Amino acid sequence: MSRGTFLVVGATSTIGRCVARRLAAEGCGLCLTGRDPEELAAVAADIAVRCGRPPLAVPLEARDFGSYPALMDACGAIPGGLAGAVITWGMPEDPLARTDPAATAQVVEVNLTAPALLLEWLADRLGPGSCLAVLSSVAGDRGRADTRLYGAAKAGLNVFLAGLRAHCDRRGIRVLTVKLGRVDTRLSFGLAGAFLAISPESAAKAVVRSLRRGRGTVYIPGWWRWIMLALRSLPEGLFRRLPR
Ligand SMILES: NC(=O)c1ccc[n+]([C@@H]2O[C@H](COP(=O)([O-])OP(=O)(O)OC[C@H]3O[C@@H](n4cnc5c(N)ncnc54)[C@H](OP(=O)(O)O)[C@@H]3O)[C@@H](O)[C@H]2O)c1
């Protein structure tokens, strides 16, 4: 992987800040975004202290689509341009707000609409040899009762990424769909299956490894590929009866 400069979108996320730290430790330059300017400044300051190179920090709310061009301008001013980007935006659904149109729209916007729009902007600007990695989820591989909306949005994101991969292939830009299993973060807090969780640091290590040499769809940890292959092959009636 070229050392270059990487954009980490959602660098205040548990996994995003670990990815940013790891990239900085490997000598890469960083442009970080986060919706909370103070939290973002704290993440940037922590990285500057650890690595001696202050990252560029650009506050960005995912649903403020009109602010994307300003981020593109900031990235365009980076000497040498971007070597790649990692998008970590995501939010779970609130089981108590299933009939609330605004809450439903927000889950779809943060998990699907916003990444899709930003990736279109980025794909137009990155050059050959660069990489776009997007954190998706095994929840998008099969519909489950407790994550039905989140899973549907991630499934849509996966289809979008497959199409973007086809679009970017001939321009030498790698597009990675990173399907994470359970990671021990605030997002997965309280969900079933905690015994399968890996640490955010382990997840970040695998994400950065994929940035270097990953292709297509990457499962983290890798054994989720085989679990999901088995689960996808089950008839729906049988899948529904599995313990949560
Ligand atoms: N943890 C897991 O088990 C797991 C499993 C599969 C996939 N994933 C995926 O991994 C990614 C990172 O998740 P995580 O576990 O690290 O959880 P997290 O810490 O809650 O990260 C979610 C990120 O999305 C950002 N975000 C949410 N709504 C936003 C908005 N409207 N505008 C801007 N940013 C917004 C959050 O910003 P703030 O920092 O400001 O809150 C945060 O940076 C997500 O895409 C998630 O779907 C996680």
Side-chain angles (χ1 to χ4, degrees):
M1 180 174 66
S2 95
R3 293 255 177 262
T5 298
F6 285 81
L7 170 67
V8 180
V9 176
T12 55
S13 70
T14 321
I15 300 171
R17 66 180 74 200
C18 295
V19 168
R21 272 192 211 140
R22 189 161 270 278
L23 286 169
E26 293 190 0
C28 302
L30 287 173
C31 176
L32 310 177
T33 84
R35 65 177 154 169
D36 177 341
E38 280 181 24
E39 192 63 26
L40 178 64
V43 172
D46 173 66
I47 287 173
V49 168
R50 285 166 190 260
C51 302
R53 257 210 296 178
L56 181 63
V58 182
L60 185 71
E61 155 62 51
R63 300 168 72 212
D64 182 4
F65 308 126
S67 64
Y68 294 5
L71 173 66
M72 292 304 109
D73 289 346
C75 293
I78 293 170
L82 286 176
V86 182
I87 297 186
T88 81
W89 282 334
M91 70 174 289
E93 67 211 76
D94 177 356
L96 302 176
R98 292 209 190 274
T99 54
D100 178 347
T104 300
Q106 189 171 351
V107 172
V108 175
E109 284 182 2
V110 172
N111 290 299
L112 171 59
T113 316
L117 270 172
L118 187 60
L119 284 160
E120 292 289 0
W121 280 96
L122 286 166
D124 274 351
R125 281 159 183 78
L126 264 63
S130 59
C131 180
L132 290 168
V134 185
L135 302 194
S136 186
S137 171
V138 295
D141 277 11
R142 191 95 214 229
R144 291 191 73 105
D146 49 354
T147 54
R148 50 192 184 266
L149 180 60
Y150 171 78
K154 290 292 194 186
L157 177 65
N158 296 343
V159 173
F160 173 82
L161 290 170
L164 186 69
R165 196 157 30 248
H167 174 68
C168 289
D169 196 42
R170 70 187 89 100
R171 291 175 42 216
I173 303 172
R174 277 180 305 129
V175 176
L176 293 181
T177 309
V178 180
K179 292 186 180 176
L180 294 166
R182 186 60 47 80
V183 184
D184 188 11
T185 72
R186 60 188 168 174
L187 186 136
S188 61
F189 182 77
L191 290 178
F195 66 96
L196 292 170
I198 61 169
S199 70
E201 290 81 10
S202 307
K205 185 177 176 187
V207 169
V208 172
R209 199 186 313 126
S210 304
L211 271 176
R212 270 196 224 101
R213 49 173 190 261
R215 297 224 153 250
T217 297
V218 177
Y219 283 82
I220 295 176
W223 40 261
W224 274 102
R225 180 181 296 277
W226 311 115
I227 294 183
M228 294 318 298
L229 185 67
L231 290 179
R232 278 199 313 271
S233 66
L234 288 181
E236 192 172 320
L238 196 57
F239 178 72
R240 224 183 295 146
R241 278 186 220 108
L242 290 180
R244 292 192 188 166

